[in-house]
Amino acid sequence: MNAEPLDSIHLEEQTGMHDVAIGTLQWGFRLSAALVTTGLVWSLISREQIPDHIIPIRQIPSELLDGTPSAALMLGFLALIATPMAVVFRLGAAYLRLGDRRFALVSFLVLAILVSSVSISLLR
């Protein structure tokens, strides 16, 4: 019994999934690092002390418009929190493209749990 064609197909799928996950994690980290760095440099330039409290999500847009550097920091932290959720979403979409509805469903269920738990913790 020759299982090589099946093994090579699974290897290609796994490599593609790893590429999706790694690429999303890298870009999420880069975005987060850029926003945090921007906030820190902005704080230094404006000589504004970084607050010891978290800005509520609803206030971040208005704080950015008001020129508050810590709002950029908060966006960076939110990007860091959102990155794993983006990975799970992209993997679920990739499973759908491959026709693997079972893994896609599991991915989207995990995503729903992640989004729910983060929403509850951030919006309370």
Side-chain angles (χ1 to χ4, degrees):
M1 186 178 211
N2 189 358
E4 272 195 31
L6 185 60
D7 289 342
S8 65
I9 291 171
H10 287 300
L11 183 60
E12 287 177 22
E13 288 176 8
Q14 288 176 355
T15 302
M17 293 299 180
H18 288 138
D19 292 345
V20 166
I22 289 168
T24 306
L25 288 169
Q26 286 175 337
W27 280 106
F29 174 76
R30 289 175 184 156
L31 175 64
S32 178
L35 288 166
V36 169
T37 302
T38 299
L40 290 174
V41 170
W42 189 1
S43 292
L44 287 172
I45 291 171
S46 66
R47 297 177 191 249
E48 186 172 318
Q49 187 175 8
I50 298 170
D52 59 353
H53 63 281
I54 295 174
I55 298 172
I57 292 175
R58 292 177 210 93
Q59 292 178 1
I60 291 176
S62 63
E63 293 287 330
L64 277 173
L65 292 174
D66 290 342
T68 306
S70 57
L73 286 169
M74 295 302 135
L75 278 179
F77 295 135
L78 286 175
L80 194 61
I81 291 169
T83 298
M85 291 185 281
V87 170
V88 175
F89 175 79
R90 291 204 58 212
L91 288 174
Y95 283 125
L96 275 179
R97 277 193 305 276
L98 290 172
D100 195 337
R101 285 183 251 143
R102 181 179 53 174
F103 279 118
L105 177 64
V106 169
S107 296
F108 291 127
L109 286 173
V110 168
L111 180 62
I113 292 167
L114 285 170
V115 169
S116 298
S117 63
V118 168
S119 297
I120 289 169
S121 67
L122 291 177
L123 298 176
R124 60 181 176 125

